[in-house]
């Protein structure tokens, strides 16, 4: 620890901005493509399948409006909303409500079509429109 001041090095690394953080094109790719792909697949596809199997039910069109599947969809939508509370800000209630509704619709789309491509396109479109509205492009 005397030869290499690790805490000072970590402070310097934490004080610097991440590489490409100021690049509009890289930020666009991350927020409009990478994040929606990961969130849609992990939160809505994998979690929906995992928790429905734990609860002993199958997320199909036939079971869509059963208590277990609807409860799970509501829980995942609320988790998605809470996950975005740091990004959207707790004071921005309209954005959080919209995110929760988007999560609910995404889960319904995945169960209805039995694939996640439709929900993925929905998520990419929503993030793309959010970037445009915030002036994140151009």
């Amino acid at each position: 620890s005397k030869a290499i001041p690790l805490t000072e090095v970590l402070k310097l690394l934490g004080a610097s901005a991440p590489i490409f953080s100021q690049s509009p094109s890289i930020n666009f790719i991350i927020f409009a493509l990478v994040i929606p792909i990961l969130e849609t697949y992990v939160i809505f596809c994998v979690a929906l399948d995992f928790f429905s199997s734990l609860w002993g039910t199958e997320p199909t069109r036939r079971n869509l409006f059963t208590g277990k599947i609807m409860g799970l969809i509501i829980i995942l939508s609320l988790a998605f909303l809470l996950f975005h509370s740091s990004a959207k800000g707790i004071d921005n209630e309209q954005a959080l409500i919209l995110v929760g509704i988007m999560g609910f619709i995404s889960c319904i789309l995945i169960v209805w079509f039995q694939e996640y491509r439709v929900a993925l396109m929905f998520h990419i479109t929503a993030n793309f429109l959010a970037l445009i509205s915030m002036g994140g492009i151009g």
Side-chain angles (χ1 to χ4, degrees), residues 19-34 131:
I19 190 167
F20 300 125
S21 66
Q22 301 303 314
S23 170
S25 58
I26 296 294
N27 282 328
F28 172 76
I29 291 169
I30 289 171
F31 289 109
L33 294 173
V34 175
L131 281 171

Side-chain angles (χ1 to χ4, degrees), residues 50-104:
F50 176 76
F51 288 115
S52 64
S53 67
L54 280 181
W55 287 2
T57 188
E58 191 175 340
T60 61
R61 268 191 211 184
R62 186 172 169 210
N63 296 338
L64 180 60
F65 297 105
T66 62
K68 286 183 179 180
I69 295 297
M70 225 4 96
L72 182 56
I73 288 173
I74 290 169
I75 289 169
L76 288 175
S77 301
L78 290 174
F80 190 61
L81 182 145
L82 291 174
F83 181 71
H84 281 80
S85 66
S86 63
K88 303 289 182 194
I90 294 174
D91 295 333
N92 194 349
E93 291 178 10
Q94 293 88 1
L96 287 175
I97 290 169
L98 189 60
V99 164
I101 292 169
M102 190 191 113
F104 185 82

